[in-house]
DNA sequence: TATTCGTGGGT
DNA sequence: TACCCAAGAAT
């Protein structure tokens, strides 16, 4: 079908499609830690972690997170810094803070029971249309669509849907398709099966159509256009930002850390004092002026850079010059602390870019 | 609706 | 090297 056409499902063998897809999933599904049971809390945590993040990356984080926060009550009562520390390196850190905000609401408003209605669960922080459908279907067996990138890729090929999946408005087209095809006998497995098919068989670049359990139902395979779907417009390139950062120690060997603002990039994570600089040539002078004026830090920064760190985010690139120095005096503040190296590593969540600086500082290794 | 929000792996 | 991607949500 072309864009804006109606879905053509009158000749689609829905029952056979469900049977073959579910049969494949029951035989081939991966043994994942969040599939041990249907605990809504664990399903919830896994779905938040899996947003824009690979399964292999999530697995060790999921184990550690559940071990540290086994129940909704444990997470609700935890310090935010400890939650961010458990999330350190996983990215998109607002996921962790929104998750704890929502868990607190469930703990207080719903007596620790994750709500099982679309209306209630959709109001929770960090729970959008996909995650709402995922929790409802996977944990509560509610036949609600859970449309993620996998589902859009798979269904665009099955039904030759040519809508641009990069457009937010396209999601409703796929929700409509899933509503028409979802198994009401086992919506949990159905939604997971579509995603699993996308992850294992119906992959973005070279789908394994000869291994696909539902290729007889696939309109794109029948027409030989599976590699042309889904349609997805590409985003523009990233901008570059030059930073100067400084690792400062006091006479006792404690390290100075600054807590980032509560909104925006890497919100509430800790970092070495740094600022944007107009020129790498004058980086040291600008960092010196910044820490003196903004934080009233009396320090000596050594001449010459320790190293340069390039860090690529999804929408921008940092080019960081790293300096070292000694603190003589500063005013202790909520967002500025001198801590031991051990505390830094065990309690304070740093962005990966600053972890790289710390690693280089201690080991002199390039990365 | 378009942009912001991370990171590590694949090609 | 330079993209693209991977179980999205908030603004």
């Amino acid at each position: 079908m072309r864009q804006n056409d109606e879905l053509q499902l009158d000749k689609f063998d829905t029952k056979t499609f469900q049977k073959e897809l579910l049969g494949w999933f029951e035989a081939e599904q991966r043994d994942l830690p969040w599939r041990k049971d249907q605990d809504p809390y664990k399903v919830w945590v896994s779905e938040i972690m899996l947003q824009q993040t690979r399964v292999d990356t999530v697995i060790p984080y999921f184990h550690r997170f559940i071990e540290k926060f086994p129940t909704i009550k444990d997470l609700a009562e935890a310090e935010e810094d400890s939650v961010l520390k458990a999330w350190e390196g996983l990215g998109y850190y607002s996921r962790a803070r929104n998750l704890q905000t929502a868990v607190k609401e469930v703990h207080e408003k719903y007596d620790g029971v994750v709500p099982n209605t679309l209306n209630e669960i959709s109001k929770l922080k960090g729970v959008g249309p996909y995650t709402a459908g995922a929790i409802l279907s996977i944990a509560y067996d509610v036949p609600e669509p859970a449309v993620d990138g996998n589902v859009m890729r798979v269904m665009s090929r099955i039904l030759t849907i040519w809508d641009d999946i990069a457009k937010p408005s396209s999601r409703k087209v796929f929700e409509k398709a899933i509503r028409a095809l979802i198994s009401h006998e086992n919506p949990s497995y159905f939604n997971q099966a579509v995603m699993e098919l996308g992850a294992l068989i119906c992959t973005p670049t070279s789908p394994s159509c000869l291994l696909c359990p539902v290729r007889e139902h696939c309109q794109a395979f029948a027409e030989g256009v599976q590699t042309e779907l889904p349609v997805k417009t590409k985003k523009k390139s990233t901008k570059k930002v030059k930073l100067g950062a400084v690792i400062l120690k006091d006479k006792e060997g404690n390290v100075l850390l600054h807590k980032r603002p509560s909104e925006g990039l890497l919100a509430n994570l800790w970092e070495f004092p740094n600022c944007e600089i107009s020129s790498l040539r004058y980086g040291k002078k600008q960092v010196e002026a910044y820490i003196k004026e903004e934080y009233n830090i009396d320090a000596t920064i050594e001449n010459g850079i320790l190293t340069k760190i390039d860090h690529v985010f999804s929408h921008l690139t940092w080019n960081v010059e790293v300096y070292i120095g000694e603190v003589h005096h500063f005013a202790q503040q909520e967002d500025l602390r001198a801590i031991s190296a051990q505390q830094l590593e065990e309690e304070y969540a740093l962005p990966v870019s600053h972890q790289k600086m710390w690693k280089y500082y201690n080991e002199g290794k390039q990365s």
Side-chain angles (χ1 to χ4, degrees):
Chain A
M1 62 182 275
R2 295 179 303 280
Q3 186 171 1
N4 296 329
D5 285 353
E6 292 296 318
L7 291 174
Q8 300 296 328
L9 292 167
D10 52 306
K11 288 188 289 185
F12 194 86
D13 188 351
T14 302
K15 282 300 173 188
T16 304
F17 174 78
Q18 292 174 351
K19 181 181 176 182
E20 291 172 350
L21 179 62
L22 291 173
W24 171 81
F25 182 70
E26 288 170 12
E28 303 292 338
Q29 65 167 297
R30 289 169 291 180
D31 183 17
L32 301 175
W34 46 88
R35 287 178 175 167
K36 301 294 185 186
D37 52 50
Q38 289 180 290
D39 179 354
Y41 170 61
K42 284 189 279 189
V43 170
W44 185 6
V45 171
S46 72
E47 290 302 336
I48 300 298
M49 286 187 170
L50 285 163
Q51 290 171 7
Q52 301 292 285
T53 310
R54 287 182 155 76
V55 165
D56 288 343
T57 301
V58 167
I59 289 173
Y61 281 92
F62 179 81
H63 282 304
R64 289 195 297 267
F65 197 90
I66 293 299
E67 184 175 11
K68 193 168 183 179
F69 312 109
T71 68
I72 283 180
K73 184 173 187 292
D74 294 311
L75 183 55
E77 296 175 347
E79 291 291 331
E80 185 188 278
D81 276 338
S82 74
V83 178
L84 287 173
K85 185 63 182 177
W87 210 271
E88 184 184 46
L90 198 51
Y92 289 144
Y93 298 96
S94 65
R95 292 183 298 174
R97 297 190 301 122
N98 289 338
L99 174 61
Q100 192 189 21
T101 298
V103 159
K104 284 180 176 178
E105 183 176 348
V106 170
H107 179 56
E108 294 162 10
K109 184 176 178 180
Y110 299 105
D111 197 27
V113 179
V114 180
N116 64 350
T117 66
L118 184 61
N119 187 43
E120 289 177 312
I121 205 169
S122 296
K123 291 177 180 172
L124 298 173
K125 263 291 196 303
V127 178
Y130 163 75
T131 304
I135 297 173
L136 289 175
S137 60
I138 296 172
Y140 290 121
D141 298 302
V142 177
E144 191 68 25
V147 176
D148 70 336
N150 282 314
V151 174
M152 289 195 283
R153 183 174 59 259
V154 170
M155 297 314 300
S156 73
R157 289 169 176 167
I158 297 285
L159 300 175
T160 53
I161 298 171
W162 295 91
D163 294 62
D164 180 1
I165 68 169
K167 294 182 180 298
S169 59
S170 296
R171 199 192 69 250
K172 68 179 188 300
V173 175
F174 293 92
E175 285 181 344
K176 184 176 182 180
I178 293 296
R179 285 189 191 285
L181 302 183
I182 192 171
S183 164
H184 286 245
E185 288 70 38
N186 199 341
S188 172
Y189 269 24
F190 182 89
N191 279 344
Q192 292 184 76
V194 179
M195 291 188 277
E196 195 81 338
L197 191 68
L200 301 181
I201 303 290
C202 197
T203 51
T205 51
S206 55
S208 305
C209 296
L210 298 183
L211 301 177
C212 181
V214 293
R215 75 172 182 226
E216 296 302 316
H217 304 269
C218 185
Q219 189 60 32
F221 180 73
E223 298 178 11
V225 295
Q226 62 269 26
T227 57
E228 298 176 31
L229 288 165
V231 174
K232 187 179 184 181
T233 57
K234 48 177 171 282
K235 54 201 169 192
K236 59 181 182 180
S237 60
T238 64
K239 60 181 178 183
K240 294 183 178 179
V241 176
K242 296 176 182 177
L243 296 179
V246 57
I247 298 176
L248 293 168
K249 278 189 173 179
D250 62 19
K251 288 187 173 61
E252 287 73 42
N254 293 317
V255 188
L256 212 56
L257 280 189
H258 166 245
K259 190 173 190 175
R260 294 177 61 85
S262 59
E263 292 183 347
L265 183 68
L266 304 165
N268 282 3
L269 267 65
W270 293 81
E271 65 184 2
F272 303 112
N274 67 89
C275 65
E276 189 166 348
I277 56 181
S278 58
S279 163
L280 292 179
R281 180 175 175 80
Y282 301 111
K284 178 195 165 185
K285 287 188 180 301
Q286 294 185 10
V287 174
E288 276 182 336
Y290 179 84
I291 65 171
K292 177 62 180 175
E293 292 164 14
E294 298 298 321
Y295 292 102
N296 200 22
I297 298 172
D298 181 12
T300 303
I301 299 179
E302 291 185 14
N303 289 317
I305 63 169
L306 174 67
T307 185
K308 289 182 182 177
I309 299 286
D310 293 329
H311 191 78
V312 180
F313 297 92
S314 49
H315 60 298
L316 65 89
T317 298
W318 275 357
N319 303 118
V320 190
E321 275 190 350
V322 184
Y323 299 87
I324 59 177
E326 183 179 3
V327 186
H328 307 301
H329 179 267
F330 77 101
Q332 193 92 16
Q333 303 168 44
E334 274 305 307
D335 62 350
L336 194 64
R337 298 182 186 172
I339 60 168
S340 70
Q342 183 177 354
Q343 272 187 304
L344 183 155
E345 293 176 6
E346 295 179 356
E347 302 174 22
Y348 288 78
L350 270 62
V352 167
S353 51
H354 286 253
Q355 292 179 48
K356 290 178 185 172
M357 299 175 205
W358 182 243
K359 182 181 175 71
Y360 189 95
Y361 175 77
N362 287 295
E363 303 177 17
K365 288 184 178 177
Q366 191 82 37
S367 59

